[in-house]
Structures are given as structure tokens and as C-alpha cells.
Amino acid sequence: MQGEAEIFRKPGEDDVAEITAFKQEFQEHGSGMDGTGILVSCDAREWLCYIDRMENREVPEGLHCLQYGLFREGDGCLLGLLQIRLELMGYLVNFGGHIGYCVRPSERRKGYAVKMLRLALDICRDNGLEKVLVTCLEDNVGSAKTIEACGGVFERIVYDDQNYKENMKRYWITL
């Protein structure tokens, strides 16, 4: 139902069924869920509690993150998820960056990733960031195009020896 309006907002308790369906589709497609934090390893309710704690810095890592979803207005379908990390530490400094995102496999190639990333950049700016690091796997052409469409300037390729065990492209976007 492309063409309907989308809403970019924080997921909540009313979205549990949609988050569960979103996760199931990724699992069925064997696709990674970047930008969802621990969703891959827990259920939707646990994940909602965790992202609330991340936003309020109540997790052991102390990382300040904001989680957003892009929902189709008409049917409430969760089209994509995006995580904004307002500070970088550990893995994020070299590989993860400030923003991670994913689009539901059945909804890809419809411009949703660009829409989410542009909206996230406004939120980053509103939270005092002046530039953000966004990364993608070297062979993820779609994600590279998304980042470039949103002003990403390629910095370099690094080998992620901690998680993916693959080359990552690093981009900076000035806000």
C-alpha cells in the first residue's frame, strides 16, 4: 500500500503484535535487524522495556539511545526500525555509528530507509549533535545509497573484527 502516509514515532505497548510480526519476517528471510538493539534475542515486550531503559540511561552500558519506528498510517504496519545513539562508545566508535536502521524485507526499495534516516538526522540535530557516523557493510549497496542520499560523505572502509567479520563503510553526515 505504498503511497499511504507514514508516521515516524517511538514504538510502544500498543505495537507489540506489529513488532512481533516485524521480527518474524526478518527471521523468515534470514535478514539482519540492524538498528533494533537486542530485539533479535528477546520478545517485543522485553525489548520495549529495554529501549525505555536505554533512553533513560538505566542500562549497564550507560548508552543513551532513542528508538523509532516508521509505521504505515492506514494499517499500522511497522515498516522499519531505527536506533539513534546519542553518544559513541565501544563497538559503536569504529563500526556501529550513531544510527542503525532496517526496513522490513517485504517493504524494501520503497524509500523508507531514506525517509527514516532524514527524520533521524533532525532528531540528532535537536539533541545537539553536529555530525553523525553512519556505517554499512561494504557490499550493502542499498544502505550505501541511502546514506549518500542523506548527505553521507564516505570516510573509509574498516574491517569489523568484532561482530560481522566483514568490511564496513564509514560515512559522516554533517548536520
Side-chain angles (χ1 to χ4, degrees):
M1 298 193 33
Q2 189 176 1
E4 286 191 34
E6 298 87 28
I7 301 167
F8 191 63
R9 62 172 174 79
K10 294 179 182 180
E13 194 65 31
D14 292 343
D15 302 312
V16 167
E18 201 48 47
I19 295 164
T20 301
F22 182 87
K23 176 181 174 179
Q24 182 176 345
E25 185 172 325
F26 274 87
Q27 290 172 331
E28 289 170 358
H29 282 82
S31 186
M33 297 177 64
D34 296 327
T36 66
I38 65 166
L39 181 57
V40 71
S41 62
C42 66
D43 70 29
R45 281 195 170 81
E46 291 171 310
W47 179 72
L48 287 168
C49 290
Y50 186 78
I51 64 171
D52 182 61
R53 291 174 53 221
M54 291 288 283
E55 183 168 342
N56 294 302
R57 295 181 182 204
E58 297 170 1
V59 293
E61 304 89 59
L63 191 62
H64 191 195
C65 294
L66 306 175
Q67 187 76 52
Y68 286 85
L70 185 68
F71 295 84
R72 188 165 35 230
E73 192 169 31
D75 61 7
C77 178
L78 177 56
L79 303 167
L81 286 171
L82 180 142
Q83 185 180 74
I84 300 169
R85 300 118 186 181
L86 294 172
E87 55 196 327
L88 298 182
M89 60 177 63
Y91 177 84
L92 300 175
V93 173
N94 293 312
F95 310 114
H98 287 95
I99 300 172
Y101 56 87
C102 62
V103 174
R104 188 180 205 126
S106 62
E107 298 292 338
R108 291 180 179 158
R109 297 180 176 247
K110 297 179 182 179
Y112 296 135
V114 170
K115 181 176 274 195
M116 288 192 308
L117 184 51
R118 284 188 176 142
L119 292 166
L121 295 174
D122 290 337
I123 295 166
C124 290
R125 188 179 302 107
D126 292 346
N127 277 276
L129 296 178
E130 295 178 3
K131 66 180 184 172
V132 295
L133 174 64
V134 186
T135 66
C136 66
L137 292 173
E138 183 179 27
D139 64 356
N140 189 337
V141 175
S143 193
K145 286 183 178 181
T146 294
I147 297 165
E148 291 165 3
C150 293
V153 176
F154 176 74
E155 178 196 57
R156 65 187 163 116
I157 294 174
V158 295
Y159 180 73
D160 176 358
D161 60 352
Q162 297 178 32
N163 186 14
Y164 287 98
K165 308 293 188 211
E166 293 186 42
N167 284 336
M168 304 282 290
K169 289 177 135 182
R170 291 171 47 99
Y171 291 87
W172 287 95
I173 301 174
T174 302
L175 305 176

